[in-house]
Amino acid sequence: TTNTSSSSFRIHSSSSPMIEKEIPQFEKPSTFLRESEGDTSPNSSTSVRARFEKMIREAQDTVCSAIEAADGGAKFKEDVWSRPGGGGGISRVLQDGSVWEKAGVNVSVVYGTMPPDAYRAAKPSSGNADLKPGPVPFFAAGISSVLHPKNPFAPTLHFNYRYFETDAPKDAPGAPKQWWFGGGTDLTPAYLFEEDVKHFHLVQKDACDKFNGDFYPQFKKWCDDYFYIKHRGERRGLGGIFFDDLNAYDQEMLLSFATECAKSVIPAYIPIIERRKDMPFTDRHKAWQQLRRGRYVEFNLVYDRGTTFGLKTGGRIESILVSLPLTARWEYDHQPEEGTEEWELLDACINPKDWI
Amino acid sequence: TTNTSSSSFRIHSSSSPMIEKEIPQFEKPSTFLRESEGDTSPNSSTSVRARFEKMIREAQDTVCSAIEAADGGAKFKEDVWSRPGGGGGISRVLQDGSVWEKAGVNVSVVYGTMPPDAYRAAKPSSGNADLKPGPVPFFAAGISSVLHPKNPFAPTLHFNYRYFETDAPKDAPGAPKQWWFGGGTDLTPAYLFEEDVKHFHLVQKDACDKFNGDFYPQFKKWCDDYFYIKHRGERRGLGGIFFDDLNAYDQEMLLSFATECAKSVIPAYIPIIERRKDMPFTDRHKAWQQLRRGRYVEFNLVYDRGTTFGLKTGGRIESILVSLPLTARWEYDHQPEEGTEEWELLDACINPKDWI
């Protein structure tokens, strides 16, 4: 169902000496971990790095299969890449399907050294005051996905689950190694169907409640706070769950929690798509969807930590920016009239609600 | 030819307490300067602030008239606004014309206090090491314009001329007042017509040469360096002139130079539009134009100092983001084939040329 393209990166690698080259691969390795830590046997003593990689690669397969099945025709195109210093990734993109206009599901496993300013973008504040702002060797693995449907009544979905480890900072060799989990799943409709949003949030809550009763209310609020387009005074969409820098719990529990969240993506999303994908719509609906896609671009390029971190650290640009919609629109000073369906959606983006 | 809309800002002002409210005005004042400095009589002892405001307001009228004439039907819509602490602006936007899909020509006169981080965004480096990074009261006046045509063979034009003054920093009352000029005019085609680019650069060079033979080569290179999309390794377009923090010359000379540059916009641009606006094109040409518009969005939201400064200081969002195209497109990993017309344009964006 996938094919590997080999002609990628020609322009980037020849013109951007600042950016570490990604090397296209023709075959998927069984692990992107460095040899010394590449133990992927399924016993419980396997490293968290290895088990997290296994989880995100399985989630990528599951989500892509479900999307292809629901789209009913289009197939994901796959790019496999590696980096000279270790690590790599698998980018899968479905473009111009019957249901989705652009759907990206990427996994990556990256070793690197964070410059202090990129480090701040990735993790601007937390309780880890013992981490110095000097260059920090890190390990990051994650799955990241944005699914933009064609039908303006079918919502965009984003999810991302990631595991981060730092080595001791180079200028503070005695400092302890740090780890944390981050992630979330959130829904961005152009039109508000309460039953969709309730279903979506209920699935998120169920996943959270299996682990900690505080998670859903806490991560729901975190999501509303995170996806805030400050210069607009509005959120990108209608939220879901979001968490970051999570390490104040048992590491095994958090690994299981992230796994559960990733498994909840399809049951949270596909039932909504099935209800909306064939609804008739007009040019007005399409134009409003496009304006909301413009807001999506604004959030991702200006505020999103993953995107700004990726742009600063020289990640694979096409993988990072696959989150952007196929098409977007900016009309000058567009204001939906009070009481319209467009206004209702915007109002819910300005004033987050409790959906459950 | 213009009408004033009064229903603007409803959503922003109610939801963004961080952002200083702009107040819609029904009539244009003769000056946005504070009363004490509002002397606009044409004698040579009038302040640079007053004469710069007069220049940009005349340039706005001239450019808008020329664009309306070339468009042959559509008219600019005007929004006038003021800010409680003094200052204000006139935003003019033409949307969905026959030639231009979106054309914005804004003037603004703003008094404010720069927070240290916004100050760095506005002026990250210069020889003014005597300026402390504390809160700095400033005055800024400028004209800013982006003109996005419909036809993929007709280039986008951007120009911006601005004058900046700081008062003494609040925590350093004895520090000298600073002033500088900034600006530029640059061309962003989706397809490369050498005669267009040569004509455009020649008009810029002529304007520069009237004042200083070093200006064109220096400001041409500055433009190529400034409009660089670092994460892509390519420039937004094919350049022009750009300068910033300019104060190492006679202030009167620089005021005349900025005036000459603003006057050169129409002769540099309209002849190109006349040649290209009715050229037949295909879906392929349109899709490539839309991809290049996506790059325009990336540059403006991620790198442009005016945009990032505006978003941080809470400027009028619709005026700041009017620079974004009406529509844009992001295809995953799109690479034009070597030797095609699309590749030629991209090559010129990657490797800047001497056009004269």
Side-chain angles (χ1 to χ4, degrees), chain A residues 8 10-11 16 79 95 102 231-232 316-318 324 326-330 332-333 335-336 346 350, chain B residues 8 10-11 79 95 102 231-233 316-318 324 326-330 332-333 335-336 346 350:
Chain A
S8 313
R10 182 167 45 84
I11 287 168
S16 302
D79 285 313
Q95 213 158 252
K102 195 171 172 192
H231 60 265
R232 299 277 186 185
R316 182 173 179 257
I317 293 308
E318 290 298 332
L324 301 182
L326 187 64
T327 53
R329 182 177 179 88
W330 285 268
Y332 175 73
D333 207 21
Q335 308 268 4
L346 184 56
I350 294 172
Chain B
S8 314
R10 182 166 46 83
I11 288 168
D79 284 313
Q95 212 158 254
K102 196 171 171 190
H231 61 264
R232 298 276 187 188
R316 183 173 178 256
I317 293 308
E318 290 298 331
L324 301 182
L326 187 64
T327 53
R329 183 177 179 90
W330 285 268
Y332 175 73
D333 207 20
Q335 308 268 4
L346 184 57
I350 293 172

Side-chain angles (χ1 to χ4, degrees), chain A residues 290-306:
Chain A
Q290 293 294 295
L291 282 179
R292 296 308 303 171
R293 295 259 158 98
R295 301 290 202 274
Y296 210 92
V297 172
E298 288 178 30
F299 179 82
N300 284 24
L301 291 181
V302 178
Y303 300 104
D304 184 61
R305 278 165 73 177

Side-chain angles (χ1 to χ4, degrees), chain A residues 35-264:
Chain A
E35 271 183 26
S36 58
E37 46 192 2
D39 175 14
T40 54
S41 63
N43 66 66
S44 65
S45 68
T46 307
S47 70
V48 174
R49 293 184 181 199
R51 284 181 290 148
F52 193 83
E53 187 202 15
K54 187 164 178 287
M55 183 276 277
I56 59 179
R57 290 182 65 167
E58 286 172 1
Q60 186 185 37
D61 289 342
T62 308
V63 169
C64 288
S65 299
I67 295 295
E68 285 183 353
D71 195 82
K75 298 293 176 191
F76 279 89
K77 173 181 172 294
E78 178 174 284
D79 285 313
V80 181
W81 50 274
S82 69
R83 303 182 93 183
I90 304 168
S91 295
R92 289 192 191 149
V93 180
L94 180 156
Q95 213 158 252
D96 200 22
S98 23
V99 175
W100 282 277
E101 123 180 337
K102 195 171 172 192
V105 188
N106 301 335
V107 298
S108 65
V109 172
V110 176
Y111 297 89
T113 305
M114 293 189 286
D117 62 334
Y119 183 72
R120 278 195 293 275
K123 194 161 174 300
S125 67
S126 79
N128 299 305
D130 49 349
L131 271 177
K132 300 265 169 66
V136 180
F138 70 88
F139 166 90
I143 182 166
S144 176
S145 173
V146 178
L147 311 169
H148 291 293
K150 288 182 165 171
N151 191 301
F153 299 119
T156 290
L157 183 95
H158 161 254
F159 74 93
N160 166 236
Y161 291 95
R162 55 194 181 276
Y163 175 67
F164 225 86
E165 274 184 19
T166 61
D167 295 344
K170 279 184 174 161
D171 52 359
K177 183 164 123 174
Q178 304 281 338
W179 60 263
W180 61 90
F181 289 88
T185 306
D186 64 283
L187 196 71
T188 306
Y191 286 93
L192 173 56
F193 295 94
E194 287 216 6
E195 62 171 319
D196 294 355
V197 189
K198 279 180 182 170
H199 164 78
F200 177 79
H201 275 267
L202 207 54
V203 175
Q204 306 312 312
K205 183 176 187 301
D206 286 347
C208 289
D209 285 353
K210 287 183 190 171
F211 295 86
N212 190 319
D214 294 335
F215 278 3
Y216 175 75
Q218 191 185 341
F219 299 162
K220 191 271 186 194
K221 180 177 185 307
W222 204 336
C223 191
D224 288 335
D225 292 345
Y226 178 76
F227 290 102
Y228 184 59
I229 307 170
K230 188 179 167 185
H231 60 265
R232 299 277 186 185
E234 65 189 54
R235 274 134 213 96
R236 184 176 80 172
L238 301 184
I241 56 170
F242 181 87
F243 56 90
D244 205 356
D245 305 336
L246 211 61
N247 63 3
Y249 299 88
D250 178 71
Q251 195 177 16
E252 291 296 326
M253 185 270 267
L254 290 178
L255 177 59
S256 300
F257 172 57
T259 305
E260 180 70 23
C261 289
K263 280 189 180 157
S264 302

